[in-house]
Amino acid sequence: MTNPERRAEEAVTLEVKNFINGEYRTSSTGKLFDNIYPCTGERNSTVHEASQEDVHAAVQAARDALSGPWGRMTDAERGEILHKVADGIDARFEEFLAAECRDTGKPYNIASHIDIPRGAANFRVFADAVKNMSTEAFQMATPDGKGAFNVAVRKPKGVIAVISPWNLPLLLMTWKVGPALACGNTVVVKPSEETPTTTTLLGEVMNEAGVPPGVFNVVNGFGPDSAGAFLTEHPGVDAITFTGETRTGEIITQTAAKGLRDVSMECGGKNPALVFADCDMDKAIEGTLRSVFANCGQVCLGTERVYVERSIFEEFVQRLAEAAGNYKLGLPEDKSTDMGPLVSHEHQQKVLSYYRLAEEEGASIVLGGGVPDMPEALAGGAWVEPTIWTGLADDARVVKEEIFGPCCHIRPFDTEEEAIALANDTPYGLAAAVWTENMSRALRVSPQIDCGICWVNSWFLRDLRTAFGGAKESGMGREGGEHSLEFYTELQNVCIKI
Ligand code: NAD
């Protein structure tokens, strides 16, 4: 066994503790829970559930660190340390990769291209972005004729609570921790109970990079009556940034109202793809295949509703089903694996309930619809088949509700106006994909879709400097580039009378 392989093995068999004030701590109540490998149902590790006392210690450490060396550093000094954090992730790439894939079951070929490199990039991008962030200055007239100057000073918000989901654990957590730290804040992170390992492992990297104790803290546990609620309810938290389900986002927003704490909400979606007859069919098939089935459909930006112009409907359905039907389900480390399992048995039950509901609601099953036959060693895993339906009514629950699995419903349309109306017929508004080679159409259609990000002839292409967030029930606020820096800083106006 090579060194990185052995380290990777250790990373997944160790206990997962909380990381508070620069050190790993066991749960003060001794409460533990199991972290499960979704490919087989075996236990990966045991996780220390943070008590209210542990969460308080983490918030207190974060508060104290604001007035320590971290608070006195220049942006450039902090940026240098955050570059070392990114380098530290790169240096322990195999360890992060193995841990992420053991927690999620996702293929190495996805996590090694997306999750881990983007996890490191999130520190580099924001460490550099913060150096170029401007403030404002206004000169004003005063009655005595002497005038005054107003200068805006940008300050960190303070202690930021970061609540993250399980679908892209390292990537989505660092997407918030990177800019929060670059702006001089301190953080307490509550990763998903399903996927605590890479967030906790990041504590070691923080220490190695010279991040002072208390700047980055991790508390493990669940949401209600556990670490998530203890953290968001804690009065020592100045702002909360959340990624997860819309219903959870609503609860956290209510919690944040006490003390008028700021929130950033990145929530669920039921994203449409619009495929016009003037598309490049090969591109549209390849892109839709990824947007529906990547990460076993567990991507907030993924497509669950596909609308295809009637003249190419039959061909599109047949080609997408053929391509998805060739998907190989398997273990993360197998290079030929296209799709892993769902993240947990609980989520498998949720997705399978929608597979059954689709039949009850009268869907034609084009592909899948159940649990695949897996080899005996994998029979205990949370596997589901890639699934395609047609023929559902527009108000069917399967067409309306976020499923978060490897599945989509495909429906024909006749006119551009109809396609836009169908795309917008949802309470969500996260993402959309438009497939057409007619750029006038692309420019006409995309702004009419009510969503935070609309891709044309692509999907999941992200420039981290651009605004990211959801419209309608998909979120509140924007992160990305200067929008992240806006959220993680407070502007103070200093008015100087001459
Ligand atoms: P979830 O809402 O169940 O959990 C997210 C996090 O919130 C977890 O850490 C969980 O423990 C915590 N939590 C739950 N209840 C809480 C409470 N009452 N107080 C404090 N914390 C609480 O979401 P999930 O199942 O982990 O993730 C999947 C969802 O996330 C999907 O809806 C998906 O669309 C969404 N998502 C959105 C984006 C985006 O950028 N908009 C990105 C990824 C995932």
Side-chain angles (χ1 to χ4, degrees):
M1 203 186 264
T2 66
N3 206 26
E5 272 171 2
R6 189 166 48 246
R7 288 223 312 272
E9 186 97 331
E10 283 165 7
V12 297
T13 50
L14 287 174
E15 285 177 31
V16 178
K17 296 182 183 156
N18 300 299
F19 184 73
I20 299 171
N21 207 22
E23 57 185 33
Y24 286 97
R25 297 192 192 167
T26 55
S27 166
S28 65
T29 53
K31 263 184 156 177
L32 300 171
F33 62 93
D34 286 343
N35 171 241
I36 301 296
Y37 182 37
C39 290
T40 60
E42 293 163 308
R43 190 169 69 183
N44 275 335
S45 57
T46 46
V47 188
H48 286 258
E49 184 177 349
S51 63
Q52 194 143 19
E53 196 185 314
D54 298 328
V55 171
H56 177 69
V59 174
Q60 197 52 50
R63 288 226 74 78
D64 292 347
L66 285 170
S67 51
W70 188 248
R72 292 191 291 274
M73 279 181 204
T74 63
D75 288 348
E77 285 166 340
R78 275 195 298 264
E80 213 172 293
I81 293 181
L82 295 180
H83 271 275
K84 284 189 192 151
V85 172
D87 295 344
I89 295 173
D90 287 349
R92 298 172 71 165
F93 192 90
E94 297 301 327
E95 214 173 331
F96 275 96
L97 181 63
E100 200 75 312
C101 295
R102 285 292 294 196
D103 275 7
T104 59
K106 68 175 72 186
Y108 276 28
N109 58 34
I110 294 187
S112 63
H113 287 108
I114 299 175
D115 299 65
I116 313 303
R118 269 282 303 278
N122 284 334
F123 287 102
R124 294 196 178 97
V125 166
F126 290 106
D128 293 341
V130 81
K131 291 184 206 158
N132 298 319
M133 194 170 194
S134 61
T135 63
E136 58 188 28
F138 291 102
Q139 187 175 5
M140 70 185 286
T142 54
D144 66 4
K146 292 183 181 163
F149 277 98
N150 291 279
V151 184
V153 180
R154 215 172 258 291
K155 296 177 171 181
K157 266 202 173 123
V159 175
I160 311 287
V162 178
I163 310 281
S164 48
W166 45 256
N167 60 331
L168 298 153
L170 183 73
L171 186 159
L172 289 172
M173 179 267 301
T174 53
W175 166 246
K176 293 164 179 300
V177 171
L181 296 189
C183 292
N185 300 283
T186 59
V187 298
V188 181
V189 185
K190 210 298 281 172
S192 168
E193 53 274 30
E194 308 286 358
T195 55
T197 314
T198 48
T199 302
T200 308
L201 191 57
L202 189 61
E204 280 184 25
V205 174
M206 292 280 172
N207 281 349
E208 286 158 8
V211 174
V215 170
F216 173 81
N217 305 276
V218 182
V219 290
N220 283 304
F222 303 83
D225 299 320
S226 183
F230 301 152
L231 178 59
T232 50
E233 287 164 6
H234 198 292
V237 164
D238 296 296
I240 303 168
T241 175
F242 168 79
T243 304
E245 281 187 18
T246 297
R247 297 288 89 82
T248 315
E250 288 172 349
I251 293 168
I252 292 177
T253 303
Q254 282 177 349
T255 307
K258 188 151 176 36
L260 297 181
R261 281 118 18 104
D262 209 353
V263 290
S264 172
M265 291 283 142
E266 297 185 338
C267 300
K270 185 73 183 176
N271 309 307
L274 274 52
V275 187
F276 289 93
D278 52 18
C279 73
D280 176 324
M281 183 68 112
D282 291 344
K283 270 197 251 172
I285 292 288
E286 189 276 333
T288 310
L289 193 64
R290 279 193 302 120
S291 75
V292 175
F293 300 106
N295 205 32
C296 201
Q298 303 163 117
V299 182
C300 55
L301 304 164
T303 304
E304 290 194 3
R305 299 178 293 140
V306 186
Y307 300 107
V308 182
E309 197 161 349
R310 196 174 299 277
S311 60
I312 60 163
F313 180 78
E314 295 298 337
E315 183 191 351
F316 184 92
V317 172
Q318 185 245 319
R319 284 188 58 182
L320 193 74
E322 196 178 298
N326 287 331
Y327 259 34
K328 183 170 175 293
L329 277 56
L331 287 171
E333 58 274 20
D334 183 343
K335 286 194 171 65
S336 64
T337 296
D338 296 304
M339 202 172 97
L342 292 167
V343 74
S344 65
H345 290 107
E346 189 188 341
H347 191 49
Q348 182 196 33
Q349 288 314 311
K350 177 187 162 186
V351 171
L352 289 175
S353 75
Y354 279 101
Y355 282 16
R356 285 190 295 275
L357 182 64
E359 287 186 59
E360 286 159 28
E361 292 187 314
S364 300
I365 301 169
V366 180
L367 181 76
V371 177
D373 282 332
M374 299 301 289
E376 205 183 320
L378 306 184
W383 305 93
V384 293
E385 288 179 316
T387 293
I388 297 175
W389 305 287
T390 57
L392 283 169
D394 294 328
D395 61 357
R397 279 181 54 206
V398 167
V399 178
K400 287 278 173 224
E401 297 172 13
E402 184 186 46
I403 301 172
F404 223 54
C407 53
C408 68
H409 177 250
I410 316 184
R411 177 215 199 273
F413 69 83
D414 294 297
T415 67
E416 192 177 291
E417 294 69 30
E418 184 193 8
I420 294 166
L422 287 166
N424 287 336
D425 184 18
T426 169
Y428 291 109
L430 190 54
V434 174
W435 299 92
T436 173
E437 292 298 304
N438 176 341
M439 282 306 113
S440 295
R441 188 200 296 280
L443 290 168
R444 194 167 56 233
V445 169
S446 18
Q448 294 185 67
I449 302 179
D450 302 328
C451 63
I453 180 164
C454 181
W455 279 285
V456 175
N457 296 332
S458 64
W459 178 76
F460 211 76
L461 196 54
R462 285 281 300 126
D463 183 326
L464 303 187
R465 295 168 299 182
T466 61
F468 180 84
K472 304 198 277 186
E473 290 185 19
S474 288
M476 190 159 56
R478 292 290 179 273
E479 297 195 32
E482 64 181 39
H483 310 282
S484 291
L485 306 184
E486 276 299 341
F487 178 73
Y488 293 109
T489 54
E490 196 89 80
L491 272 187
Q492 177 190 13
N493 186 58
V494 178
C495 179
I496 309 155
K497 174 81 175 64
I498 299 168

